[in-house]
Amino acid sequence: MTILCALLLSMAGASLIYLASTQQKLLSAPLHASARLAAAVAMTGGGVAWHVAAGTGAGIAATLTTWMLTWVVLPYLAWWRGAPASTRTGTR
């Protein structure tokens, strides 16, 4: 159960960081800067939960892996879903 909580917190925090970025393509406008504070809280909680569940070394590795996996999947999800019309540049 701790691993599931760690995974969800880490993924939620990484998703909020992505969605608050000006480069994100999932939403028509990025989230407010306050989302970054919520992301920091979620990412810290996820890191602590991974540490509790797996130990120091494995917890750090699991935290970083979860963040990286989330940050790789989200742009592909935006591409698969289709970018909003306001971000498309030129057509053929």
Side-chain angles (χ1 to χ4, degrees):
M1 189 65 174
T2 306
I3 292 176
L4 180 62
C5 290
L7 181 68
L8 293 176
L9 280 171
S10 295
M11 289 177 72
S15 297
L16 283 172
I17 287 286
Y18 175 77
L19 293 173
S21 169
T22 57
Q23 300 296 317
Q24 62 88 20
K25 304 287 186 206
L26 278 173
L27 304 176
S28 58
L31 296 178
H32 297 287
S34 60
R36 292 182 185 173
L37 177 62
V41 170
M43 292 171 83
T44 302
V48 169
W50 276 121
H51 173 73
V52 168
T56 303
I60 291 170
T63 301
L64 294 175
T65 302
T66 305
W67 293 347
M68 288 184 290
L69 179 64
T70 303
W71 287 327
V72 166
V73 167
L74 287 173
Y76 282 111
L77 180 64
W79 169 79
W80 180 68
R81 193 179 131 219
S86 63
T87 62
R88 292 187 184 146
T89 58
T91 59
R92 290 186 184 227

